[in-house]
Amino acid sequence: MSSFGRRVDRFERSVIAILMAAMTVTSFTQVIARYVFNTGWLGALDFARILFAWLILFGMAYGAKIGSHLAVDTVVRALPKHVFKAFAIFGALCGVVYAAIFFWADWLQFIGIDAKGGAFPYWLRTFETGIGLTEIRYPDWAQEMFDLPARVHRWIAYLILPLGLFLFGFRCLQALIEIVQGKREMITTAIETTELMDQRSDPDHESYAAAQEHASEAPHWYDDNNSKDRR
């Protein structure tokens, strides 16, 4: 991985950890304040929603990086190896194109498609207008010290739209290069159903022992009924 890729990787993991911690602290303190002290922060719910949106879009990019997006690849894996690789390249390329379209769709006009807009132009418009969020406000001391308006700027909350799509496109492009180089099979490498079945049928895996223990603890009437059904 390049130095730029490592920096992006550290940045994503750090932001995801901060977002999860902030969501936990905000929700916990709001519950305590409301049910113990009969008070609370008016914008806590909106703030938690914004944090959750940031977490989803950051997670979308990080999921593409580690290959944790779900995939149904039974048919594709049955194809010849070179055809399978072509489909894998096509899938990663679709992710790059998807991110590029939603980031800034005006570039489609160069290939004859009448489209415009996207996350970046929308965010830029909120930045230029300077409109604020409805419920989330700057503290009074920050308003006085930095001459800020009462409401937090909307462009701060919406910054994740272009940033998240850029990171997702970067991770899809990174996966595309790795697939072409033979370092990776697909952009989606975690197939939960297949992995779960393999683990439960593998005597060396801990889930196999757990499944056997669960079966041994089943009530006797369950085995009797099963035996009757078999008869």
Side-chain angles (χ1 to χ4, degrees):
M1 185 186 297
S2 64
S3 59
F4 176 72
R6 286 193 294 269
R7 286 195 293 267
V8 173
D9 189 21
R10 288 195 296 268
F11 172 71
E12 285 177 340
R13 286 186 294 179
S14 300
V15 172
I16 289 173
I18 293 172
L19 290 173
M20 293 184 67
M23 286 180 60
T24 302
V25 171
T26 301
S27 301
F28 178 76
T29 54
Q30 181 69 0
V31 169
I32 296 299
R34 178 172 297 180
Y35 291 100
V36 177
F37 301 101
N38 197 26
T39 182
W41 176 27
L42 183 61
L45 180 59
D46 284 346
F47 184 65
R49 288 175 177 173
I50 292 172
L51 291 175
F52 188 61
W54 277 66
L55 185 62
I56 289 174
L57 291 172
F58 263 102
M60 177 177 68
Y62 193 71
K65 185 260 179 184
I66 64 175
S68 63
H69 290 288
L70 298 180
V72 180
D73 58 352
T74 305
V75 176
V76 178
R77 288 187 180 275
L79 298 173
K81 186 175 181 180
H82 64 281
V83 180
F84 168 78
K85 185 173 183 178
F87 272 96
I89 293 174
F90 176 74
L93 184 61
C94 285
V96 176
V97 174
Y98 169 87
I101 291 175
F102 280 89
F103 182 84
W104 184 60
D106 291 32
W107 64 270
L108 291 172
Q109 298 177 8
F110 294 103
I111 58 176
I113 300 178
D114 186 15
K116 60 181 180 178
F120 179 72
Y122 179 73
W123 172 83
L124 189 61
R125 190 157 54 248
T126 62
F127 178 79
E128 293 172 346
T129 55
I131 58 177
L133 298 168
T134 304
E135 298 292 345
I136 305 178
R137 300 174 177 272
Y138 289 110
D140 293 337
W141 61 267
Q143 297 180 34
E144 297 175 359
M145 183 177 297
F146 301 104
D147 193 23
L148 295 173
R151 297 187 296 176
V152 174
H153 293 91
R154 193 176 295 266
W155 66 265
I156 297 177
Y158 288 5
L159 179 61
I160 188 57
L161 295 175
L163 180 60
L165 287 167
F166 171 78
L167 290 173
F168 180 71
F170 171 74
R171 290 305 187 186
C172 290
L173 180 61
Q174 193 177 48
L176 175 63
I177 296 173
E178 292 176 352
I179 293 171
V180 172
Q181 294 176 344
K183 299 179 180 179
R184 182 171 179 173
E185 275 194 328
M186 299 178 66
I187 191 172
T188 52
T189 57
I191 297 80
E192 290 187 347
T193 304
T194 303
E195 291 180 351
L196 182 60
M197 295 298 293
D198 291 342
Q199 291 172 3
R200 291 179 69 87
S201 60
D202 183 6
D204 296 329
H205 198 276
E206 59 182 6
S207 62
Y208 178 85
Q212 295 300 316
E213 182 181 355
H214 177 73
S216 65
E217 294 175 353
H220 296 292
W221 61 263
Y222 178 79
D223 295 332
D224 294 340
N225 290 338
N226 286 343
S227 61
K228 292 178 181 178
D229 292 339
R230 287 194 294 269
R231 289 197 299 268

